[in-house]
Amino acid sequence: LVLDDWTLRIVTAVLSKLELIMYYNIGLVENIKNITCKLSEFPVVFFVQPTLENIELLCRELKRPKFINYSICFSNLSNSEDLKTLALADCSKKLITSVNLCFLDFLNIEKNVWIGGIDGLSSILASYGVTPVNIRYHNQTKQLAIKLCAFYTDTESSKYHSIRSLARMGSILMLVRSFDNVTQLLTY
């Protein structure tokens, strides 16, 4: 299993090393920036964010492969240009067996409390199958609301979200906890 820094945090928050070995037969976990083992007789799963840096590292790995085949799982939407770049890097050796999308670009801290920024928020919404049609926000969350709105109006990502979540339209209310008087009253 090869992870980047962010997906390493996600996996270690959910699974222990013992669980990876016992339940999923994963004996080796490496960072995409520093793959040291060469196990040419074993397949590998890459679970990474679809960032430009990770795409470049994947392409570099495909040029000098250390594994027999590659399954790639992105933690959020990747654009078509990145997928074309990967396909070109793999065209001669045909090492990639699958490319999957798994909306896990967020770190769940508690029930209904997540870390992940704009990518994490869009990933949470997609994992629940919800497309926001109405975004309400507090003044201090205005920039995040604008980024979220831009993400859902971007043609590349909106195509996928509109197909995936036709049945579930929802509203988003973005608050700053220090200005949320209701939650403070409920905790007393």
Side-chain angles (χ1 to χ4, degrees), residues 122-178:
S122 63
S123 182
I124 291 165
L125 293 171
S127 67
Y128 283 116
V130 174
T131 298
V133 292
N134 192 3
I135 300 174
R136 304 265 183 208
Y137 58 90
H138 185 273
N139 269 350
Q140 290 187 338
T141 61
K142 183 176 181 177
Q143 291 302 318
L144 185 61
I146 290 169
K147 288 179 183 177
L148 184 66
C149 186
F151 177 82
Y152 278 94
T153 55
D154 175 46
T155 56
E156 192 72 30
S157 58
S158 66
K159 280 187 245 176
Y160 182 80
H161 285 292
S162 63
I163 293 167
R164 177 174 166 79
S165 52
L166 282 173
R168 298 198 52 203
M169 301 295 186
S171 296
I172 296 179
L173 177 61
M174 300 171 80
L175 298 172
V176 176
R177 294 294 302 239
S178 60

Side-chain angles (χ1 to χ4, degrees), residues 40-102:
S40 56
E41 63 276 0
F42 288 100
V44 67
V45 175
F46 276 75
F47 175 46
V48 294
Q49 287 183 302
T51 63
L52 182 60
E53 178 186 16
N54 287 342
I55 298 295
E56 289 171 358
L57 290 169
L58 275 165
C59 290
R60 191 178 319 146
E61 172 64 26
L62 290 168
K63 288 178 184 169
R64 292 185 196 89
K66 295 180 181 83
F67 303 95
I68 192 167
N69 61 40
Y70 294 75
S71 295
I72 300 168
C73 184
F74 289 119
S75 63
N76 209 335
L77 288 175
S78 57
N79 63 40
S80 57
E81 287 302 314
D82 290 342
L83 294 176
K84 285 178 189 173
T85 303
L86 274 177
L88 289 173
D90 186 45
C91 69
S92 63
K93 297 177 183 163
K94 301 200 183 322
L95 297 170
I96 297 176
T97 57
S98 66
V99 177
N100 296 300
L101 171 61
C102 154

